[in-house]
Amino acid sequence: MNDIILLLSRATKCGRFLMPKVNPGGHFHGTWNVSKRLLSSFRELKQLSLPQVQVPEPEPETFKGLETDFPCLAKNPSTGPEPVYSRVISGYNTYTCNEPFYFKHHDGVIPELNIAYETWGELNEDKSNAVLIHAGLSASSHARSHLENPEAGWWEKFVGPGCAVDTSKFFVVCTNTLSGCYGTSGPSSINPLTEKPYATTFPVTTVEDMVHAQFLLLNHLGINKLYASVGSSLGGMCSLMSTVLCPDRVGRMISISSCAQTHPSAIAMRYLQRKCIMTDPYWNKGHYYGRPYPKMGMKLAREIATLSYRSGPEWDDRFGRKQIDPHQHPSLCPTFLIENYLDYQGESFSLKFDPNSLLYISKAMDLYDVAESFPDIHTALRQVKCPVMVIGVKTDILFPICQQRELARLLSEAGNDAVTFYELNSIYGHDTFLLDLNGVGAAVKGFLETELSENGRARKRKDITF
């Protein structure tokens, strides 16, 4: 047998057997004998019984992947019923200015202006005890509950008898911000000339426009000078802008978790939120009223915003790496509690606020620069003559603490001797102004009720480093 194999190997060249060669005369020579021996060897091979090698059948390809049915997407439809904003909040008053209201940019003008507002406490005889609370981006005029609307307000624990803003001492006013959707003129309001919602034909809005609208309301209420202007976040921007634009009409000012100029990181964060809404196929260039609603874009925008409202230390303390169901195999749907929380925040907010209002107000915050109408920021802040309190939070991502330090320093450099600065070490980030009653509430109450001189402290302060 081995001889046969050896013969075959020698007789094979490049997979071919050597065949007899023929010379020009027609005679065979050379390899003929080898070929004869090969044929004889093949006959022998056919008679042999060779051991067979068992070649395994190829196994089927091994693969097991995820199911492509994602219940986390099915439970959040891409569109939904259009919110009825008048039902979100009720019990507010409405001031209607029947004169055209002019905006700062693009020669914008609307034929009339509506301002939703609520009040608490009693205005004294000389109308000197009014405190104006400026709402944040998504807040309404409902800062505190009252008989007309017993639902808890967005600053419920901070406003009321004996509270930080004491309604037994002060007449408190809170408005819904211009471009909002809770009663004040905005994109979802009806244009009286067309009898259709303004949508994105509503003029681009600035913080200056918001302040001008608020002071029209104060004129209507007969309030010539505020005892105090108080605001957080966007409200802090409005509070400072009020004092810069109308210095003779503000007695003292509080700015919480805000700034003099918008930080680029905040602009980037809000840009992504707007992009989520504007790329939603149902946004329809802002003309979605009475049509499918851009719910998914709004939901994603709020989830992004929530990242900037709280802080890493709180996430770690509150959620850590805890899973929704530790016994469930992971999938591409939410696995961790923090994901579930963001999903809940986006879902619950997506039908409570008008997407166009979010676009307009967030853009106003990005455009905000208290010095825009002045040669420089020092000139702008020199307009502020009244006592000022600036509060910042170390864990604030949206308005970094450096911005409040800078604002306090610039006000002092501008010649204001009545600047008080508080730096809070709260884990709640930007939302501290809504949650920290001890830190924020105590500071606000102390500042409002402490006797201060009109243009500074009762005793001039020494140099302070912020």
Side-chain angles (χ1 to χ4, degrees), residues 175-187:
T175 71
N176 178 220
T177 305
L178 181 65
S179 290
C181 55
Y182 297 140
T184 294
S185 296

Side-chain angles (χ1 to χ4, degrees), residues 83 85 88 181-182 293 298 344 348-354:
Y85 307 115
V88 174
C181 55
Y182 297 140
Y293 175 76
M298 189 64 169
Y344 167 78
S348 62
F349 182 78
S350 61
L351 294 177
K352 290 181 180 179
F353 199 74
D354 179 33

